[in-house]
């Protein structure tokens, strides 16, 4: 009897394995699009803050009159600002919809339904039906948290450099284009070969 129950459990587990494998691969396939939406959200939030705004972070010494001198850093670079952005970034997943696949890379393409900067959006061909194999908001949210957790240090380091650049501080040029190129487009997970490697591993 025990052997029969054990055999049934093994059969159920085996039946579930392809589903787990598929979801894992699917999250990897989403990585490029998730990267771009995360970078877009972060860049937009940086654009809303005056790069010359500062925040006091502690003592920087004592003045000649005996009073303490406050240490100031750009608010954009404060731990509180960056942490707040990263903590909230993935809560916007319900703003995004699956638009099919990229014609070049074959990877899933995810788009915001309403543009952050007011540009017109085209949702023709979007896959809004919530089906098991579609990119639902929950799947996008999980993939977002997974990406932020894995690449947080690299993303923060890149933005810290970009928001201190002359083009951003003095000319107010958005860091979006350079950040997207360096953190997403130049990466292996945004290449056409990445999709081929993922699906080759399934064979």
């Amino acid at each position: 009897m025990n052997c029969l129950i054990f055999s049934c459990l093994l059969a159920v587990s085996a039946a579930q394995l392809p589903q787990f494998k598929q979801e894992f691969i699917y999250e990897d396939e989403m990585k490029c699009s998730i990267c771009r939406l995360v970078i877009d959200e972060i860049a937009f939030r940086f654009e809303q803050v005056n790069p010359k705004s500062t925040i006091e972070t502690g003592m920087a010494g004592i003045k000649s009159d005996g009073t303490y001198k406050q240490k100031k850093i750009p608010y954009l670079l404060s731990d509180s600002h960056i942490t707040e952005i990263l903590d909230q970034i993935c809560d916007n997943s319900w703003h995004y919809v699956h638009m099919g696949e990229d014609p070049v890379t074959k990877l899933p393409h995810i788009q915001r339904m309403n543009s952050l900067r007011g540009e017109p959006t085209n949702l023709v061909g979007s896959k809004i039906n919530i089906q098991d194999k579609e990119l639902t908001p929950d799947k996008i949210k999980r993939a977002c948290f997974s990406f932020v957790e894995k690449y947080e240090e690299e993303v923060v380091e890149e933005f810290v450099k970009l928001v201190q650049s002359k083009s951003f501080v003095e000319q107010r040029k958005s860091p979006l284009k350079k950040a997207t190129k360096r953190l997403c487009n130049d990466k292996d997970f945004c290449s056409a070969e990445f999709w081929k490697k993922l699906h080759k591993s399934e064979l």
Side-chain angles (χ1 to χ4, degrees), residues 9-199:
L9 289 173
L10 283 178
V12 171
S13 299
Q16 291 176 340
L17 282 177
Q19 179 183 351
F20 292 147
K21 182 180 180 182
Q22 181 185 23
E23 183 158 344
F24 174 76
I25 295 296
Y26 208 49
E27 184 171 300
D28 275 350
E29 287 179 328
M30 293 166 61
K31 193 177 291 184
C32 181
S33 215
I34 291 293
C35 177
R36 289 169 180 164
L37 74 84
V38 166
I39 299 310
D40 188 30
E41 295 274 355
I42 295 175
F44 178 74
R45 282 163 175 74
F46 275 111
E47 291 165 20
Q48 307 311 301
V49 180
N50 185 338
K52 295 183 180 180
S53 297
T54 60
I55 186 174
E56 295 179 352
T57 60
M59 303 301 177
I62 301 176
K63 297 180 182 179
S64 56
D65 61 3
T67 59
Y68 287 103
K69 183 179 180 181
Q70 293 288 333
K71 181 181 180 181
K72 295 183 178 182
I73 64 168
Y75 173 67
L76 285 170
L77 305 181
S78 66
D79 289 340
S80 59
H81 181 241
I82 294 175
T83 300
E84 181 181 356
I85 290 176
L86 293 175
D87 285 347
Q88 298 177 0
I89 207 82
C90 296
D91 290 331
N92 291 323
S93 60
W94 61 277
H95 286 292
Y96 290 85
V97 65
H98 184 198
M99 294 294 295
E101 63 180 34
D102 185 288
V104 177
T105 65
K106 305 300 182 185
L107 297 169
H109 173 55
I110 304 169
Q111 178 178 306
R112 214 176 198 279
M113 289 186 283
N114 54 327
S115 170
L116 286 167
R117 297 167 184 80
E119 301 102 331
T121 55
N122 183 0
L123 298 178
V124 175
S126 62
K127 300 174 179 289
I128 299 178
N129 293 330
I130 299 179
Q131 302 171 8
D132 184 50
K133 293 184 180 180
E134 299 295 347
L135 289 182
T136 61
D138 280 344
K139 285 185 178 180
I140 294 174
K141 188 172 185 176
R142 288 201 304 272
C144 179
F145 276 119
S146 177
F147 178 86
V148 170
E149 182 179 8
K150 184 173 183 179
Y151 296 97
E152 177 178 349
E153 188 174 332
E154 185 178 352
V155 169
V156 171
E157 182 179 343
E158 185 62 39
F159 270 95
V160 165
K161 288 190 293 186
L162 288 173
V163 299
Q164 293 183 90
S165 66
K166 184 177 180 180
S167 64
F168 180 71
V169 176
E170 297 184 9
Q171 301 172 23
R172 298 307 303 271
K173 288 185 178 179
S174 173
L176 176 60
K177 189 174 181 180
K178 288 183 178 179
T180 301
K181 182 180 185 301
R182 296 173 186 174
L183 295 169
C184 307
N185 297 347
D186 287 350
K187 300 291 186 180
D188 175 64
F189 57 70
C190 276
S191 68
E193 294 301 316
F194 186 69
W195 184 89
K196 294 177 183 178
K197 282 193 290 185
L198 286 177
H199 288 271

